[in-house]
Amino acid sequence: MRGILRSVAVTLAATAIVAGSGATAPASGSRPTRYCTVFRVPVTVPGASGASVSGWLCLPSTSTPKIVQLLVHGGTYNRFYWDWPDQPEKYSYVDRALRAGHATFAVDRLGVGQSTRPHSDALTMSAGAEALHQVVTALREGRLAGRGFDRVVWVGHSYGTMFAWVEAATHSDVDAFVLTGQTHFTKESWIKDATASTYPAVQDPKFANSGLDFGYLTTVPGSRGRLFYHAPNADPAVIARDEQLKDTLALPELVEGSQLVNLPPPDTAPSRAIRVPTLLVLGEHDNLTCGPPDGIACTESNVLSQENPYYAPEARLQVRIVPATGHDLQLHHSAAASNALILDWLGGLF
């Protein structure tokens, strides 16, 4: 039982996307011109026959990029974390990346949003990582939009960071990693709170008629603001919208993910397989890791000292801390500052 309770210490986090193909979104207000198409990438994983991963491929209008960012959301979130539908000029990372001339592919992970939802038993960390590896391959080989990309950058948040660790342990197919909202340490106090705030998704009004099995989990109403936000720097309307857009996380992912945090021996960590440039971005008040009663003071030096042993020297790990910000970096008033840190680092890399 303790192992299952610990498992909630990973990351919970929000919702669905439209499936199909050929959907183009023009400019709106102060938004950049967006050329976005929905794709379903067929993936082969055990226990999920005929599965596919859905995502939006967005291209800037001003260039033909050779680099694509694979945007991987956290637990109980989906691709909307990266492309928030409200006030996108403030909260959409996709928009910021397009302005900087980058292509993005924002996915719904397997079991989430418009991607295939197999029985939850099939949703292991290794299966999810393998599905994302097949997405990386499709991006490189040009199976989306008839064009391939020379480089793929993995940009993950929370559980999207942990899936990066697992994927890198098996495949060496990513050119750089931007890992946000996740370290190898999670506070016991947050674990207890998250455990009490998680239940089978079918018990939630949003998913009551979904037909999901009891291994699909979500957060209880009213808990997301406490778990994922630093209230002084967040908009209550965004937190309320987060509740509407929330999605699911599978119990096997929770259980396996719990083994990757709470400071396991560094030489056992899958993240040690990362041997390409890596940036770690964390909110100063990320309640999973930072602050009292049992967390560290999240400064760049503290986090780098803790995390550096979990990455290979070739990763040249760098850490950035966003002031006055909680776990969901993209959904705070400081989103523009978080995005600038990421895009500036990438701009100096390639």
Side-chain angles (χ1 to χ4, degrees):
M1 180 65 176
R2 180 170 175 78
I4 293 177
L5 296 182
R6 272 186 165 278
S7 65
V8 184
V10 202
T11 324
L12 308 167
T15 196
I17 179 178
V18 208
S21 63
T24 300
S28 174
S30 62
R31 305 189 74 177
T33 300
R34 296 160 53 101
Y35 297 100
C36 299
T37 306
V38 184
F39 288 96
R40 288 187 176 275
V41 181
V43 296
T44 303
V45 296
S49 177
S52 63
V53 169
S54 176
W56 277 89
L57 177 66
C58 291
L59 303 174
S61 62
T62 56
S63 63
T64 305
K66 296 182 179 181
I67 303 170
V68 63
Q69 297 185 37
L70 175 63
L71 308 182
V72 187
H73 59 82
T76 73
Y77 283 86
N78 62 28
R79 71 101 183 168
F80 277 138
Y81 173 81
W82 297 109
D83 198 14
W84 198 247
D86 304 329
Q87 300 183 66
E89 69 284 355
K90 182 174 184 177
Y91 295 110
S92 172
Y93 177 81
V94 171
D95 278 12
R96 294 276 175 164
L98 291 174
R99 284 194 190 97
H102 295 257
T104 62
F105 189 60
V107 298
D108 288 339
R109 288 191 290 101
L110 190 65
V112 173
Q114 293 301 308
S115 293
T116 300
R117 292 185 185 263
H119 193 279
S120 63
D121 287 348
L123 294 174
T124 63
M125 292 291 291
S126 58
E130 178 60 29
L132 290 166
H133 158 66
Q134 293 173 40
V135 172
V136 171
T137 301
L139 289 167
R140 286 195 182 278
E141 293 182 348
R143 287 189 271 126
L144 307 185
R147 54 158 302 165
F149 295 92
D150 295 340
R151 292 191 173 105
V152 178
V153 176
W154 184 303
V155 183
H157 178 66
S158 197
Y159 243 90
T161 288
M162 290 197 292
F163 275 104
W165 298 343
V166 177
E167 199 270 352
T170 307
H171 305 283
S172 299
D173 59 353
V174 174
D175 297 284
F177 288 94
V178 176
L179 306 177
T180 74
Q182 188 66 57
T183 70
H184 289 82
F185 169 71
T186 305
K187 293 159 52 175
E188 289 286 350
S189 58
W190 189 89
I191 294 170
K192 292 177 181 178
D193 193 3
T195 299
S197 303
T198 305
Y199 64 167
V202 290
Q203 295 180 9
D204 190 274
K206 178 173 181 177
F207 302 102
N209 299 316
S210 64
L212 297 175
D213 66 82
F214 273 74
Y216 279 89
L217 308 175
T218 195
T219 53
V220 301
S223 63
R224 298 177 78 82
R226 184 177 68 252
L227 292 171
F228 303 134
Y229 292 84
H230 179 57
N233 196 26
D235 184 345
V238 170
I239 299 174
R241 183 68 156 145
D242 190 351
E243 178 65 31
Q244 294 175 352
L245 295 177
K246 72 181 180 183
D247 214 291
T248 59
L249 183 66
L251 182 59
E253 295 169 334
L254 276 176
V255 173
E256 293 181 24
S258 70
Q259 300 167 11
L260 303 178
V261 297
N262 293 319
L263 301 178
D267 60 356
T268 69
S271 54
R272 287 285 301 177
I274 293 179
R275 292 182 172 83
V276 294
T278 301
L279 176 68
L280 174 60
V281 184
L282 204 65
E284 179 188 18
H285 299 289
D286 189 328
N287 201 30
L288 274 72
T289 297
C290 308
D294 51 346
I296 65 171
C298 283
T299 64
E300 289 184 4
S301 58
N302 281 356
V303 174
L304 182 61
S305 177
Q306 173 188 286
E307 291 298 302
N308 211 32
Y310 291 93
Y311 294 86
E314 297 89 338
R316 305 196 307 274
L317 181 67
Q318 296 186 38
V319 173
R320 302 287 186 272
I321 302 296
V322 184
T325 301
H327 180 66
D328 281 354
L329 294 125
Q330 200 53 46
L331 302 181
H332 284 72
H333 291 307
S334 53
S338 301
N339 297 342
L341 288 174
I342 295 170
L343 293 169
D344 287 350
W345 182 80
L346 286 173
L349 196 61
F350 301 118

